Amino acid sequence: MRVEIWSDIACPWCYVGKARFEKALDAFPHRDQVEVVHRSFELDPGRAKDDVQPVLAMLTKKYGMSEAQAQSGEENLGAQAAAEGLDYRTRDRDHGNTFDMHRLLHFAKEHGRQDELIQILYRANFAEERSLFAEGDERLVELAAEAGLDAEAARAVLADPARYADEVRADEREAAELGANGVPFFVLDRAYGVSGAQPAEVFTQALTQAWGARSPLKLIDDDGAQACGPDGCAVPQQ
């Protein structure tokens, strides 16, 4: 079974939702038969690469709330994250464009390190003092290397804006086609969707239901026609 997760590194509920999903997945009896793929979704696709601002300033401008309201929301998110065993800095974080991070995640997928990289990027954005956005490409190269990727190869990806750009845009178009207008958005075997950072119990129910709905292959013709198998090939008889 395949689970696809549309998310953005700048999304705190994606950070929390991933932890809740993984809690359900770890306890799922068929865990070893579930493939998880991370898909791209930008919350702020129009933001320039060098446009970095404090999270509170972004929230007050985007949602028209007071700074006190924005800070209260951050405190609430911090409590939600802590309940899942996650570190979360409720003050002095910043916000910026995540397109290059999504390109790197597609590069990481090709090398089997996608989940490692996305978790490191989440940690860097939500838990560490150093900015994920203000230090430029070298910060991303450093984190890619921490995820087990070749640093020079990661640097080459970041230096070429066209690398994996089509893959990111394809993910975003697909999200729109599936009706996802927010993240996190989980799609199980292209049959079931779960929107938002639901409790682990909801993910458990979704995994169980999706697994149970998997249909065994129905053969159109099983009359013993000639075929090859582990024991050799059928020899036509005269």
Side-chain angles (χ1 to χ4, degrees), residues 69-116:
Q69 288 173 318
Q71 185 60 54
S72 176
E74 284 294 284
E75 298 292 343
N76 177 267
L77 279 163
Q80 298 272 357
E84 304 303 329
L86 300 172
D87 292 328
Y88 188 99
R89 297 180 67 241
T90 60
R91 297 178 182 275
D92 302 322
R93 290 193 304 107
D94 57 15
H95 176 79
N97 183 285
T98 58
F99 186 67
D100 283 346
M101 299 174 202
H102 286 293
R103 294 197 300 114
L104 266 186
L105 284 166
H106 277 279
F107 165 67
K109 180 176 180 291
E110 286 191 353
H111 295 274
R113 309 299 294 177
Q114 190 185 45
D115 193 71
E116 289 82 358

Side-chain angles (χ1 to χ4, degrees), residues 107 111 141 144-145 148-156:
F107 165 67
H111 295 274
V141 170
L149 296 164
D150 181 80
E152 287 305 316
R155 186 175 288 111

Side-chain angles (χ1 to χ4, degrees), residues 78-229:
Q80 298 272 357
E84 304 303 329
L86 300 172
D87 292 328
Y88 188 99
R89 297 180 67 241
T90 60
R91 297 178 182 275
D92 302 322
R93 290 193 304 107
D94 57 15
H95 176 79
N97 183 285
T98 58
F99 186 67
D100 283 346
M101 299 174 202
H102 286 293
R103 294 197 300 114
L104 266 186
L105 284 166
H106 277 279
F107 165 67
K109 180 176 180 291
E110 286 191 353
H111 295 274
R113 309 299 294 177
Q114 190 185 45
D115 193 71
E116 289 82 358
L117 180 59
I118 197 169
Q119 192 59 38
I120 286 170
L121 291 172
Y122 278 142
R123 185 203 69 207
N125 186 37
F126 293 109
E128 296 183 355
E129 290 188 15
R130 290 177 63 188
S131 171
L132 184 60
F133 302 98
E135 295 188 27
D137 289 353
E138 283 308 304
R139 174 69 166 140
L140 296 182
V141 170
E142 174 188 318
L143 296 171
E146 184 180 340
L149 296 164
D150 181 80
E152 287 305 316
R155 186 175 288 111
V157 169
L158 292 169
D160 181 357
R163 293 278 301 277
Y164 302 101
D166 289 344
E167 287 83 347
V168 175
R169 297 308 183 206
D171 277 358
E172 294 174 335
R173 286 194 301 271
E174 198 163 14
E177 291 166 1
L178 290 169
N181 52 18
V183 286
F185 189 71
F186 301 77
V187 176
L188 293 77
D189 255 2
R190 289 298 171 110
Y192 295 88
V194 179
S195 180
Q198 300 286 348
E201 294 78 12
V202 174
F203 289 120
T204 297
Q205 179 183 357
L207 287 165
T208 302
Q209 188 170 349
W211 184 267
R214 298 167 77 240
S215 300
L217 188 67
K218 294 181 176 59
L219 294 176
I220 299 301
D221 187 355
D222 189 22
D223 64 355
Q226 291 83 2
C228 292

